[in-house]
Amino acid sequence: MADASPFLAQVFACIWAIAAREAEAKGVDISQTIGLARGDLVALAARWLQAPDAGAIAQMARAEVVLDDEEGMLLALLDAHRADQGRDSAWLARMVTRRAMQPNHLWQDLGLPDRAALSRLLRETFPKLAARNVNNMKWKKFFYRSLCEMEGFHLCTAPSCRECDDFDACFGPEDGESLLARNRRENMSGSLSHP
């Protein structure tokens, strides 16, 4: 039941909000920015966002979401490590996959308030995969490192992370402003400048 997890409700609302904002800015439908097809969007909105107008939600999305090869590999990795076979975790696997293709820290691209929220989400939804990130590597870097290892090759040329010149790129701080907070601030300043 959706009311059993306020944290998960917040996660879905954050992802929806950032994906909807991006879809509007790019002039595409939300299925392209969130990674869910129409039926899944309608079901997610009804279950987690208490959105009663399924028709309006259905108008926001196309019936199909096409994944490129990179997304397909990441989705397969996430699907293989889901905590359960429920539709919430399936939706999260697709949403994380699509949002991971964006250029910011993953927590920002998911609209989450900080990295700690992302780490909690991944521990709860993909626990065996998250448990492998023992050195607290940045999540996108960790996903791609995992994919490379599955394919039998290594991205890194250094013998160990501690000896690598790019250590901070993989393990440095993931701070910054939440994209939803930034959008809200920009909207507020824009509305103040236009009487």
Side-chain angles (χ1 to χ4, degrees):
M1 192 60 143
D3 58 0
S5 178
F7 173 70
L8 204 50
Q10 177 191 12
V11 166
F12 281 122
C14 288
I15 298 171
W16 185 284
I18 199 75
R21 171 118 173 137
E22 184 181 313
E24 183 179 351
K26 290 182 174 181
V28 299
D29 67 69
I30 193 171
S31 64
Q32 303 310 303
T33 58
I34 206 168
L36 296 177
R38 181 181 316 188
D40 287 328
L41 279 171
V42 170
L44 182 142
R47 177 170 165 78
W48 290 102
L49 306 177
Q50 289 79 41
D53 189 359
I57 300 298
Q59 292 300 316
M60 297 173 69
R62 295 185 181 130
E64 299 260 344
V65 174
V66 178
L67 301 178
D68 64 22
D69 291 342
E70 182 179 354
E71 287 176 299
M73 290 172 54
L74 180 54
L75 180 58
L77 175 70
L78 294 174
D79 273 341
H81 291 89
R82 288 174 25 206
D84 59 53
Q85 294 305 304
R87 65 181 176 170
D88 292 339
S89 65
W91 290 336
L92 284 166
R94 288 189 150 274
M95 296 164 89
V96 168
T97 295
R98 180 53 54 103
R99 299 305 303 160
M101 301 299 118
Q102 299 306 308
N104 305 293
H105 295 305
L106 184 55
W107 65 268
Q108 290 174 315
D109 290 328
L110 291 170
L112 298 175
D114 52 35
R115 187 180 197 274
L118 171 61
S119 294
R120 177 180 174 187
L121 171 67
L122 296 176
R123 280 192 313 271
E124 291 178 8
T125 311
F126 313 102
K128 289 180 181 176
L129 182 62
R132 290 181 15 205
N133 190 359
V134 293
N135 293 319
N136 206 25
M137 181 180 270
K138 291 179 182 180
W139 286 109
K140 284 184 185 180
K141 295 281 188 182
F142 174 76
F143 290 159
Y144 285 98
R145 183 177 189 173
S146 297
L147 290 173
C148 288
E149 288 172 355
M150 284 174 39
E151 294 296 317
F153 64 92
H154 299 279
L155 281 175
C156 306
T157 56
S160 74
C161 290
R162 301 223 185 281
E163 297 173 30
C164 181
D165 291 335
D166 293 324
F167 184 86
D168 289 341
C170 293
F171 295 96
E174 285 190 72
D175 49 11
E177 184 176 27
S178 160
L179 294 183
L180 289 177
R182 182 184 311 159
N183 291 340
R184 188 177 320 113
R185 184 175 39 74
E186 289 171 357
N187 286 341
M188 296 284 290
S189 65
S191 65
L192 293 176
S193 64
H194 299 331

